[in-house]
Amino acid sequence: MTIYDVAKECGVSIATVSRVLNGSGRVSSKTKEKVLAVMKKQNYQPNPFARGLGLDSMKMIGVICTDVSDAFYAKAVSLIEEYSRQIDWNVLLTCTGHGKEEKYKFVEFLLNKHIDALIIIGTPFVHKKDLYHFEKLGSRIPIIMINSYMELPNVYGIICDEAAAVQDAVDKLQQQGCNSIAYFYDSLTYSGRQKLTGYRAGIKKYHLNAKCELEYKVEKSFEQMNTLIKKLLAEKVFFDALVTSEDILAIAAQKILLQENRTMPIIGCNNSILAQCSTPALSSIDNRLDILCKAAIEVLTKLMNNETVPTKMLFTANLVERESFQAK
Amino acid sequence: MTIYDVAKECGVSIATVSRVLNGSGRVSSKTKEKVLAVMKKQNYQPNPFARGLGLDSMKMIGVICTDVSDAFYAKAVSLIEEYSRQIDWNVLLTCTGHGKEEKYKFVEFLLNKHIDALIIIGTPFVHKKDLYHFEKLGSRIPIIMINSYMELPNVYGIICDEAAAVQDAVDKLQQQGCNSIAYFYDSLTYSGRQKLTGYRAGIKKYHLNAKCELEYKVEKSFEQMNTLIKKLLAEKVFFDALVTSEDILAIAAQKILLQENRTMPIIGCNNSILAQCSTPALSSIDNRLDILCKAAIEVLTKLMNNETVPTKMLFTANLVERESFQAK
DNA sequence: CTGAAAGCGCTAACAG
DNA sequence: CTGTTAGCGCTTTCAG
């Protein structure tokens, strides 16, 4: 079933059919109805490749992140897919994994399909080289970065102000009497750097000369964090509260501390499903993926309509307080 | 940069360029090298839409599930994307959500992009009507169902034998002395029915006349399960072990029981990240998504090469025993 | 082994 | 308002 078949059955030209298909150009309502009727009856679906060839677009948006099996990215992809679908755009997904190879090849994999826009979740790209690639890419299609940013033409950052949130959390803990707040983080992505900055700012605010000597970098894994915490306890390192860049780190710590019968306020990040499942329920900084992703699609929509949009949008995070916050 | 530009620069016809592009037809190694060199130099990428139009394929596979933000589906999508990419296929993702609407429209959303195959994870489709749709669809492209199945032409099921696994778990618990094993499940998807069957078989095996009176259906949510467990405890319903169709149900139960200072063996399903984060660490039935997804892509690959593949493949699940198994 | 040319199905001037 | 026609960039006969 092609546009020719429809045209023939309607007794009109393919141009007319194309017009009603695209709502472009005036068509008498009478012929329009006839065409629509035939289309419906024959369940006609225009060939997307032919259409793509003509319009140079198949209404597909590329989404890239390091790993969808991670709860955070999964949530983001889920939201992006949903909002995209609502405006009739398909999502082409690619994950880079955590490997060290040239990450840009993953973008090219998507680009080979002539996507209309690229959404990058988090910070899969860290090499200087990537910057150059994105600069070139930006001249073709818009690039939206969720919780990350590069200052380049046609690149738009949708960011959650995690620095402020972490600082705020540290503030609250200090007001509660904690004065040895440890911070555990797994990576220095854009978001990771923000959080670390927030932590340091929070500490500094109270102890003007304090060094941030309770910062620990650890792999994002339950086991690794377990090991680290055990080690610190063995070494009698003192801390009376704990903030982590990821819920899973917080939870690993919680578990050990529970075993040792020590309790203290613990705050995670991402407000993932893990937070509510943990014992005690984990307080967590919610970086508002729902809002970020919705904003991303809105930006995209506006760009397609040639409307102006801010190159960077900052949203406030939200500390969700649960049992682990008051823990003494 | 089109095929014409490459042809011109090489001093050959576009047909020749096309031939080296596709490895179709004999081309003298000399011209072949020249063409390849120019392609590389110009970083020529064939237009996917034009190619799609000619070949009626853009090497895209549709993946559909109810909700990628769910850890189980996220893992599956992640694996499928990875394996697909390795054979140079892109993944077009769509989620149906849990709504009650006509689910087939989500498939059509994918179909409108002329995907080459469809992978369905789990059981997003339950209506009789869908069967008819898939029958028709099967005549166009292969349909792979992961942990689900419909007996239709060109539909292939890749399934984990969760019935056996749950039955086995119940067996073990009974051997351990438990005789009031409760089962909590959230849905009667294909996989859900299998697990329930397994539970019943396990119970029957020991108590020939036993009715399965400790079966509870509950929404897949931490809160709902919490409520249910509290209610059962309040009603003094007796059970001395617990199996659930989803890790999160097990974890919700664990948490309440821990608060009440009651411990008993608990076994979940899916072996998600939640399992290891829980206290005590949750034993869980691993349904081998890695193997299922790899098999799915292998089936697809073979189908593309017109090789014969089984319409249904069954893999053995794997009980991962952790602290919660021995809990007394 | 290579080139000419006819599609693939649709869009968008352009002409009426 | 509608039809004719020339692309879009690539694949694939069919000749040579």
Side-chain angles (χ1 to χ4, degrees):
Chain A
M1 172 72 19
T2 76
I3 201 173
Y4 289 93
D5 302 316
V6 176
K8 189 179 293 174
E9 184 162 345
C10 293
V12 299
S13 75
I14 61 164
T16 301
V17 178
S18 176
R19 282 191 194 97
V20 341
L21 205 54
N22 297 288
S24 61
R26 320 251 97 244
V27 181
S28 84
S29 59
K30 206 162 117 192
T31 54
K32 184 171 180 176
E33 300 210 340
K34 188 175 9 165
V35 172
L36 286 174
V38 171
M39 279 180 177
K40 181 159 206 173
K41 177 179 152 216
Q42 302 285 1
N43 187 30
Y44 165 70
Q45 299 295 139
N47 180 307
F49 305 146
R51 213 160 189 211
L53 193 55
L55 296 172
D56 198 34
S57 158
M58 252 177 73
K59 299 229 255 183
M60 298 193 303
I61 115 178
V63 173
I64 202 162
C65 65
T66 47
D67 178 13
V68 239
S69 73
D70 178 287
F72 178 76
Y73 297 117
K75 183 74 190 161
V77 168
S78 163
L79 290 162
I80 290 171
E81 191 281 324
E82 182 184 346
Y83 296 136
S84 300
R85 183 158 29 78
Q86 285 170 8
I87 54 171
D88 204 34
W89 287 64
N90 283 86
V91 162
L92 215 44
L93 176 70
T94 287
C95 305
T96 67
H98 300 279
K100 296 287 179 199
E101 344 82 287
E102 282 294 327
K103 294 287 186 65
Y104 192 77
K105 72 177 187 204
F106 294 93
V107 177
E108 285 189 323
F109 183 55
L110 244 26
L111 252 36
N112 283 345
K113 252 66 183 187
H114 257 67
I115 49 174
D116 299 281
L118 180 64
I119 295 186
I120 299 173
I121 313 168
T123 313
F125 307 97
V126 291
H127 295 309
K128 271 271 177 292
K129 251 183 167 175
D130 295 322
L131 211 81
Y132 159 74
H133 281 124
F134 286 118
E135 183 160 8
K136 244 184 16 188
L137 178 54
S139 66
R140 285 223 303 107
I141 59 174
I143 304 171
I144 315 259
M145 300 195 176
I146 293 182
N147 246 12
S148 186
Y149 187 62
M150 292 180 186
E151 194 168 327
L152 288 175
N154 216 11
V155 171
Y156 304 87
I158 316 274
I159 294 158
C160 178
D161 192 353
E162 294 171 308
V166 172
Q167 176 171 354
D168 197 47
V170 170
D171 265 16
K172 283 188 179 162
L173 290 171
Q174 287 179 123
Q175 280 167 27
Q176 226 176 271
C178 304
N179 53 39
S180 295
I181 305 170
Y183 179 65
F184 297 82
Y185 64 99
D186 63 311
S187 70
L188 289 178
T189 57
Y190 181 93
S191 158
R193 286 193 301 272
Q194 269 207 81
K195 293 173 198 165
L196 186 56
T197 305
Y199 167 70
R200 288 176 178 171
I203 296 293
K204 289 256 170 62
K205 188 167 164 194
Y206 282 74
H207 312 282
L208 282 173
N209 298 312
K211 283 180 296 180
C212 296
E213 46 195 13
L214 291 172
E215 282 171 13
Y216 301 96
K217 188 166 192 308
V218 57
E219 215 173 277
K220 181 173 169 181
S221 119
F222 192 78
E223 290 81 7
Q224 295 288 320
M225 183 65 179
N226 259 344
T227 311
L228 174 57
I229 288 280
K230 279 182 185 157
K231 179 163 156 277
L232 295 179
L233 292 177
E235 292 171 354
K236 307 232 180 276
V237 174
F238 180 76
F239 45 88
D240 56 11
L242 211 143
V243 178
T244 72
S245 68
E246 288 280 346
D247 284 339
I248 189 142
L249 301 182
I251 283 164
Q254 264 190 324
K255 190 157 178 168
I256 303 292
L257 294 170
L258 191 69
Q259 282 168 14
E260 307 278 325
N261 257 317
R262 282 184 61 178
T263 63
M264 64 182 70
I266 301 184
I267 298 178
C269 264
N270 287 3
N271 193 30
S272 63
I273 192 162
L274 295 171
Q276 61 173 315
C277 292
S278 182
T279 303
L282 182 68
S283 302
S284 186
I285 292 171
D286 188 323
N287 34 26
R288 316 302 296 279
L289 267 182
D290 50 345
I291 292 180
L292 300 190
C293 293
K294 173 166 260 171
I297 301 297
E298 277 172 9
V299 163
L300 227 47
T301 312
K302 288 191 176 155
L303 287 173
M304 301 299 168
N305 297 328
N306 287 315
E307 294 177 44
T308 315
V309 297
T311 52
K312 204 167 169 179
M313 291 170 79
L314 203 62
F315 291 93
T316 307
N318 190 15
L319 175 61
V320 180
E321 299 188 20
R322 295 200 182 83
E323 299 160 14
S324 81
F325 191 63
Q326 306 297 342
K328 259 289 145 59
Chain B
M1 172 70 23
T2 75
I3 201 172
Y4 288 93
D5 302 316
V6 176
K8 189 179 291 173
E9 185 163 344
C10 294
V12 298
S13 75
I14 60 164
T16 301
V17 177
S18 176
R19 282 191 193 98
V20 343
L21 205 54
N22 297 287
S24 60
R26 318 253 96 245
V27 181
S28 82
S29 60
K30 204 163 120 191
T31 52
K32 186 171 179 177
E33 298 208 343
K34 187 174 16 170
V35 172
L36 286 174
V38 171
M39 280 179 174
K40 181 157 206 174
K41 177 179 152 211
Q42 301 286 1
N43 188 28
Y44 164 69
Q45 300 294 140
N47 182 308
F49 305 147
R51 211 154 191 219
L53 194 55
L55 297 173
D56 197 34
S57 160
M58 252 178 73
K59 300 229 255 182
M60 298 193 301
I61 115 178
V63 173
I64 201 162
C65 66
T66 46
D67 178 16
V68 238
S69 74
D70 177 287
F72 178 76
Y73 297 117
K75 183 74 190 164
V77 168
S78 163
L79 291 163
I80 291 171
E81 191 280 324
E82 183 184 347
Y83 297 136
S84 301
R85 182 157 31 77
Q86 285 170 6
I87 54 170
D88 204 34
W89 287 65
N90 282 85
V91 161
L92 215 45
L93 176 69
T94 287
C95 305
T96 64
H98 300 279
K100 296 289 179 200
E101 344 84 284
E102 282 293 327
K103 294 286 185 67
Y104 193 78
K105 74 177 186 205
F106 294 93
V107 177
E108 285 188 323
F109 183 55
L110 245 25
L111 253 35
N112 283 345
K113 252 66 182 185
H114 257 60
I115 49 173
D116 298 281
L118 180 64
I119 295 186
I120 301 173
I121 312 169
T123 313
F125 306 98
V126 290
H127 295 309
K128 272 272 177 290
K129 252 185 169 173
D130 294 321
L131 211 80
Y132 159 75
H133 281 125
F134 286 118
E135 184 161 7
K136 243 185 15 189
L137 178 53
S139 66
R140 285 220 306 104
I141 59 175
I143 304 171
I144 314 261
M145 301 196 175
I146 292 181
N147 248 11
S148 186
Y149 188 62
M150 291 181 186
E151 196 170 326
L152 287 175
N154 216 10
V155 171
Y156 303 87
I158 316 275
I159 294 158
C160 178
D161 192 354
E162 295 171 307
V166 172
Q167 176 172 352
D168 197 46
V170 170
D171 265 14
K172 284 187 179 163
L173 291 171
Q174 287 178 123
Q175 280 167 26
Q176 227 175 270
C178 304
N179 53 40
S180 295
I181 305 170
Y183 181 65
F184 298 81
Y185 64 99
D186 63 310
S187 70
L188 290 178
T189 55
Y190 182 92
S191 156
R193 285 193 301 272
Q194 268 207 81
K195 294 174 197 162
L196 187 54
T197 305
Y199 166 68
R200 288 177 178 169
I203 297 292
K204 288 255 170 64
K205 187 167 162 192
Y206 283 75
H207 313 282
L208 282 173
N209 298 310
K211 282 181 297 182
C212 297
E213 47 195 12
L214 290 172
E215 283 171 12
Y216 301 95
K217 188 167 191 311
V218 57
E219 216 174 277
K220 180 173 167 181
S221 118
F222 191 78
E223 290 81 6
Q224 294 289 320
M225 182 66 179
N226 260 345
T227 313
L228 173 57
I229 288 281
K230 280 183 185 155
K231 181 163 155 278
L232 295 179
L233 292 177
E235 291 171 356
K236 308 233 182 275
V237 173
F238 180 76
F239 45 87
D240 56 12
L242 211 141
V243 178
T244 73
S245 69
E246 288 280 345
D247 284 339
I248 189 143
L249 301 183
I251 284 165
Q254 265 190 324
K255 189 157 179 168
I256 303 295
L257 293 171
L258 192 68
Q259 281 168 14
E260 306 280 325
N261 257 318
R262 281 184 61 178
T263 62
M264 64 182 70
I266 300 184
I267 298 178
C269 263
N270 287 1
N271 193 31
S272 64
I273 193 161
L274 295 171
Q276 60 173 316
C277 292
S278 182
T279 304
L282 182 67
S283 303
S284 185
I285 292 171
D286 187 322
N287 34 28
R288 317 302 298 280
L289 266 182
D290 49 346
I291 292 180
L292 300 190
C293 293
K294 174 165 261 172
I297 301 298
E298 278 171 8
V299 164
L300 227 48
T301 312
K302 289 191 177 158
L303 287 173
M304 301 300 169
N305 296 329
N306 286 314
E307 295 177 43
T308 315
V309 296
T311 51
K312 205 168 171 178
M313 291 167 79
L314 202 63
F315 291 94
T316 306
N318 189 15
L319 175 61
V320 179
E321 299 188 20
R322 295 199 184 83
E323 299 160 16
S324 82
F325 190 63
Q326 305 298 340
K328 259 288 145 62

